[in-house]
Amino acid sequence: MSGPGGSMRDRRWLIYVAAGLLGLSAATYVLHYFLFHDAYHIFVFMVGDIAFIPIEVLIVALVIERVLSRHEKRRMMQKLNMVIGTFFSELGTKLLGDLSQCIKDREDIQPRLAVNADWSALDFRKALSVAEELKPEIDVGKVDLPTLRQQLVDHRALLVLLLGNPNLLEHERFTDLLWAIFHLLEELVARESLDGLPETDRKHIAGDIRRVFSLLAAEWVHYCRHLKEAYPYIFSIVVRTHPLQARPDAVVRS
C-alpha cells in the first residue's frame, strides 16, 4: 500500500517525465532551425500538429474506452458465471431434476434439455429455444411439497447471499430466477401445513413451480454452454451427472 510519500514521488516522477518530453520536443525544434534555418515551416507544422491533437485524443479515448469496456464486461461475466456455478452446484442442478419429475409431458421435454458431450452450438440454440418458450403443465401431486420446502429453507442463506451480490444487477435473467425461487420458498413457508390444500391453492403453487422450472431450465442451458466453451473439464462431469438424462453416472465408461 502506498502512502502520501509514495503518491508524492509518483507525482514528482510524472512531472519529471513531462518536463523531459517537453524539453526533448523543444530541443528538436531548435535543432531543426539550426540545420535548415526555416522558422516558417517549423511553425506551420507545429500548428498543424497541435490542431490534430484533439482528434488524436478522441480516437485514442474511444478505442481505449471500448477495449476497457469489453475487458471489464468479460471479467464481470467470469465472476457471474462463478456465482452461477456455485448456485447450480449447491441447489440448482438438484432442483432442476426434482421439479422435472412433476412435469406431465417430461418424456418430451427432458430429452430436449438433456445436454450431452456431443452437443454443438446449434444443439444449444435449439435447447435454449425450447427452454425459453417452455410452459409445462405441473402435476402438483407428484411434488413432495414438504421436502421441497425444506430443501429451499436449507438454502435460504445461499439465495439471500446471491441476491445481495451487486454484480447480479447486470444479469437480469439469473436475478429473475433467484426471485422466482425465493417467491416459491415464501409461498411454501407461509402455509402451516402443505397437506389437504384446496385445488385453487394447488394450482397457485403449480404456477410458481412452473415459473421456477422454466427460468431454471433456460439458465441451465446457458450455464452448460458457457462450461463447454470455457471449462470443458467441468462440463465433462456436469454432462455425466446431471439429472435430466436417463442414467446419470459419474464414471467415465468410454
Side-chain angles (χ1 to χ4, degrees):
M1 182 180 296
S2 61
S7 177
M8 181 67 70
R9 283 194 297 272
D10 291 341
R11 201 159 36 241
R12 191 177 303 158
W13 176 84
L14 183 60
I15 292 172
Y16 289 156
V17 171
L21 292 174
L22 289 174
L24 180 61
S25 178
T28 303
Y29 280 121
V30 170
L31 178 62
H32 184 281
Y33 178 76
F34 277 113
L35 290 176
F36 302 105
H37 301 285
D38 188 358
Y40 172 77
H41 282 93
I42 289 177
F43 286 102
V44 166
F45 288 118
M46 181 187 297
V47 172
D49 290 341
I50 293 174
F52 192 69
I53 285 176
I55 300 176
E56 288 181 320
V57 171
L58 176 63
I59 293 173
V60 171
L62 289 175
V63 170
I64 291 177
E65 190 275 335
R66 291 195 64 178
V67 170
L68 290 178
S69 177
R70 189 177 306 164
H71 175 72
E72 183 63 25
K73 185 175 181 180
R74 187 182 300 115
R75 194 161 61 91
M76 181 175 293
M77 287 307 299
Q78 288 177 341
K79 290 182 179 180
L80 288 179
N81 283 315
M82 290 175 63
V83 172
I84 294 170
T86 300
F87 164 77
F88 276 107
S89 296
E90 296 295 323
L91 173 63
T93 301
K94 187 175 188 312
L95 185 62
L96 182 68
D98 292 344
L99 296 185
S100 68
Q101 299 304 310
C102 67
I103 297 176
K104 291 186 178 180
D105 50 350
R106 68 177 183 276
E107 291 80 7
D108 176 56
I109 293 176
Q110 275 188 300
R112 300 161 74 184
L113 300 176
V115 179
N116 66 58
D118 298 325
W119 271 27
S120 64
L122 179 59
D123 293 318
F124 279 106
R125 285 197 297 271
K126 288 180 179 178
L128 279 175
S129 179
V130 171
E132 289 169 355
E133 297 175 5
L134 198 58
K135 294 181 180 178
E137 188 176 354
I138 304 297
D139 184 354
V140 181
K142 293 184 178 181
V143 183
D144 186 343
L145 293 179
T147 299
L148 176 60
R149 176 172 62 185
Q150 189 59 49
Q151 181 185 19
L152 297 182
V153 167
D154 290 343
H155 292 87
R156 186 200 296 266
L158 173 65
L159 295 172
V160 172
L161 182 64
L162 293 176
L163 283 170
N165 189 326
N167 291 327
L168 289 181
L169 296 175
E170 302 295 326
H171 202 311
E172 185 176 342
R173 187 180 65 244
F174 186 62
T175 302
D176 289 344
L177 168 60
L178 292 179
W179 278 119
I181 295 174
F182 213 93
H183 175 72
L184 176 59
L185 168 60
E186 290 179 328
E187 289 281 0
L188 296 177
V189 170
R191 290 158 175 77
E192 291 184 6
S193 174
L194 295 172
D195 298 324
L197 296 175
E199 187 61 26
T200 52
D201 200 35
R202 289 165 65 86
K203 286 183 178 179
H204 180 81
I205 293 176
D208 293 331
I209 292 175
R210 180 188 303 112
R211 183 186 305 111
V212 169
F213 183 80
S214 299
L215 293 170
L216 185 58
E219 193 60 49
W220 157 256
V221 178
H222 278 289
Y223 172 62
C224 288
R225 182 173 64 177
H226 163 72
L227 288 182
K228 184 167 187 180
E229 294 172 353
Y231 302 101
Y233 57 96
I234 301 178
F235 178 72
S236 173
I237 182 66
V238 167
V239 298
R240 281 181 274 125
T241 58
H242 74 75
L244 296 182
Q245 56 195 314
R247 296 182 183 84
D249 186 359
V251 177
V252 178
R253 301 189 181 279
S254 61

